[in-house]
Amino acid sequence: MTAAQRRARARVEYDAFLAACPSRDLLNRISGKWVALVLSALGGGEPGPGGDCGGEPRPMRYSELARTLAGVSQKMLTQTLRSLERDGLVSRTVVPTVPVTVTYELTERGVSLYRVVRGLKTWAETHMDEVIAHRATYDAGAD
């Protein structure tokens, strides 16, 4: 079976609008805010406002990811990285040093998802002022 045939078959078999479709679980997992931010960080995004995520994907140590992702708890970062590794989006490399060095890096599949997430992150940053203004207008009219 060719790659094109496999993709065509998958389009028929997976329909996220169906309650029992396994793609719903994946969609739920990858739509979380920490997943988007971890992918953006590993994808070469610059921390802070104005980071356009235009850098190259690169490996990062756990501690570097934790510093980059302000507000993420150790538990949530660990859970997020494990789920991304389980789904084949992130690879984990352990180097037996003292202390042990652990790095995380996007896989080829992870890079393809990162390209999608990068657009969402950029859109949110670009349109935030407009959304805040609309929320204020909406909330003023809701009283």
Side-chain angles (χ1 to χ4, degrees), residues 29-57:
R29 183 186 323 273
I30 64 176
S31 64
K33 78 173 176 183
W34 295 119
V35 169
L37 294 173
V38 166
L39 291 172
S40 292
L42 291 172
E46 298 296 323
D52 65 357
C53 296
E56 290 296 314

Side-chain angles (χ1 to χ4, degrees), residues 49-72:
D52 65 357
C53 296
E56 290 296 314
R58 65 183 183 89
M60 294 177 77
R61 293 182 65 178
Y62 181 92
S63 58
E64 185 180 8
L65 278 167
R67 282 191 306 273
T68 300
L69 304 175
V72 68

Side-chain angles (χ1 to χ4, degrees), residues 2-120:
T2 67
Q5 289 170 326
R6 283 194 302 273
R7 284 192 300 273
R9 182 176 173 197
R11 276 188 228 109
V12 173
E13 293 177 2
Y14 297 117
D15 181 354
F17 288 116
L18 300 176
C21 183
S23 65
R24 266 199 187 186
D25 178 54
L26 180 59
L27 189 57
N28 184 49
R29 183 186 323 273
I30 64 176
S31 64
K33 78 173 176 183
W34 295 119
V35 169
L37 294 173
V38 166
L39 291 172
S40 292
L42 291 172
E46 298 296 323
D52 65 357
C53 296
E56 290 296 314
R58 65 183 183 89
M60 294 177 77
R61 293 182 65 178
Y62 181 92
S63 58
E64 185 180 8
L65 278 167
R67 282 191 306 273
T68 300
L69 304 175
V72 68
S73 68
Q74 181 177 352
K75 177 183 176 182
M76 186 53 64
L77 181 55
T78 299
Q79 286 177 349
T80 301
L81 288 166
R82 283 184 183 158
S83 72
L84 291 172
E85 184 181 9
R86 181 175 182 240
D87 290 339
L89 301 169
V90 168
S91 64
R92 179 177 183 261
T93 304
V94 179
V95 179
T97 57
V98 179
V100 172
T101 302
V102 179
T103 58
Y104 296 89
E105 186 171 13
L106 294 177
T107 62
E108 188 175 323
R109 185 177 306 119
V111 169
S112 71
L113 178 58
Y114 157 71
R115 290 182 184 127
V116 174
V117 169
R118 174 180 58 196
L120 290 172

